[in-house]
Amino acid sequence: MTLSARDAVRLQIGDTDATDYLLTNTEIDHFVSIFAAVDATDTAVAAAAAAEAIAAKFARGFDFATDGQSFNRSQRVQHYLDLAAMLDPANARN
């Protein structure tokens, strides 16, 4: 069984929890239509763009500490930027 391009992108970025997707199907399809149009079997560049979009989404959050706990949301941003760079090193923007 072959994955659809959308599912391949989701797998590459770890956005596989169908009850709590980070990006909508429409958003994933947008990246696939732009970046995988030349070679539909190579979804790495589309996945890199999706990872950058997730990083941008998490960048709206902020690090904070409360009740002796710290929440470093910037780590999530860096994770997705690192993932994008790994998937498409030619276009790494970090």
Side-chain angles (χ1 to χ4, degrees):
M1 181 173 168
T2 303
L3 289 177
S4 69
R6 177 194 302 154
D7 290 340
V9 167
R10 285 200 185 283
L11 184 61
Q12 289 175 84
I13 63 174
D15 191 12
T16 57
D17 182 353
T19 64
D20 190 26
Y21 283 141
L22 298 172
L23 296 175
T24 66
N25 287 338
T26 302
E27 291 166 330
I28 297 282
D29 291 345
H30 170 73
F31 294 125
V32 168
S33 71
I34 292 173
F35 298 107
V38 175
D39 181 0
T41 63
D42 183 5
T43 56
V45 178
E52 288 179 342
I54 294 170
K57 178 186 261 188
F58 287 137
R60 293 176 31 184
F62 52 90
D63 296 346
F64 66 95
T66 184
D67 296 328
Q69 297 178 332
S70 62
F71 299 88
N72 298 315
R73 296 189 175 163
S74 59
Q75 289 177 337
R76 292 179 96 179
V77 172
Q78 192 58 54
H79 164 75
Y80 283 101
L81 291 175
D82 292 345
L83 179 60
M86 181 187 74
L87 290 165
D88 185 20
N91 290 317
R93 295 186 248 302
N94 57 347

